[in-house]
Amino acid sequence: MTAVSRRALLTGIGVGAASVAAVGVGAAAIARQSEDEPVATGRTYDFYGAHQAGIVTPMQDHLHAAAFDLTTTSRDDLVRLLQAWSAAAAAMTAGSPVGLYGAVNGPYDAPPDDTGEALDLPASGLTITIGLGPSLFRTSDGVDRFGLADRLPAGFGPLPAFPRDTLDEAICGGDLFVQACADEAQVAVHAVRTFAREAFGTAAVRWSQLGFGRSSVTSSADSTPRNLFGFKDGTNNITSDDAAGLDDFVWVQPEDGTDWMTGGSYLAVRKIRMTIETWDRTSLREQEAVFGRTKREGSPLSGGTEHTVPDFAATGRDGAPLIPTDSHMALAHPSANDGHRILRRAYNYTDGSDGLGRLEAGLFFLGYARDLSRQFVPMQLRLSRSDRMNEYVRYLSSAAFAIPPGAAGPGGFVGERLFA
Ligand code: HEM
């Protein structure tokens, strides 16, 4: 499928031109072009650019993420899939249907190009972020399926096993990854469904996850949301206006030595179930000690307001640290991690209930870093060993993906430099 709508062709607005034009909140309205009247798109984010959207983009309320396993052994098929995904992503993020004819204007006796469930909805701030798993380069038993093994970035591989992990292999890993975030859940789901459809015969969905109610902040203009433990989450995150922080900790730099990844990032995915029934019977004192912050304001237990710098040396009358040394914040803070930071972009999730009267709920953790092995892995190890929060969570999944830089423009695709 090519990602150009009929109206776009008739009016001369190619998908690329449309998406390039439509950047930022209140950008010009672009129609879901199969219909007679344009529909306002709400906020739109350009798919093309130096970095992929969906990393520092202000967090939308809904997530649909999915990992795919390649069923093909052909490198050409893989390239064609990444090209098709990029073209479809450019269309959908601009608020256009995919394919030449969209949902309803094609031949009556053929399946529609676009599945149609987002037809009357605006672009809804959709971002689509595409990732490549370590298994794409080399399988666990050393097979180089696509002639990419010598292009594997140094330090990038499957995440190691962490203490206390109780992983379900079926929801770990994956050759390819897509993260769709949008203001409307249905728009995010449409994006992942379209990717699955484009992948038919080349790749199959390995796992997918819906998330809601952003549980982090990537823009200093946004307020801090709460996770399902009821605490503000994202207070001390790297935000889009922190250019130095992004260069130091998020974007791969030329000196990192993997040319095709320059401008990209790496992603750690961890599905973390919360045993909320236990949590809900826990005192407020213990809950605040778990995070080292107050529940109401999110301020450090050493005093001040939400964004006051925590004082880990401050002690109470009994001489004990006001911020417990095993609290989540104390262990995740840069001062405990050789100055390293990561960019968090997590979402809450609920997957129904487990048949024992307990909600299957938690945090779908997405953490971006310039180098997972130096920034994320030691931090996760520290948390897995000692985090006071461990009593109330179970790590269910683990995955790592290389997130290449953005596609340059129409006709370009995510990962293009890897295959050059
Ligand atoms: C269910 C799982 C988790 C919950 C509920 C949770 C919640 C929180 C909360 C409430 C804060 C304090 C406010 C803030 O600065 O955002 C925080 C901070 C933080 N968390 Fe988590 N978190 C979880 C998992 C993780 C994981 C897996 C990592 C990384 C391996 C992580 C890394 C961090 C970092 C780096 C900070 C900022 C610490 C600082 O600089 O003060 N978190 N988290």
Side-chain angles (χ1 to χ4, degrees), residues 12 16 56 102 106 184 256 313 323 326 341-342 360 384 395 399 401:
V56 297
E184 284 275 354
D256 295 342
I323 300 172
D326 61 350
R341 307 180 69 197
I342 57 173
E360 296 257 22
S384 292
Y395 287 87
F401 298 100

Side-chain angles (χ1 to χ4, degrees), residues 10 56 99 105 147 178 225 312 363 380:
L10 292 174
V56 297
N105 288 330
V178 58
F312 294 106
L363 187 88
Q380 179 65 79

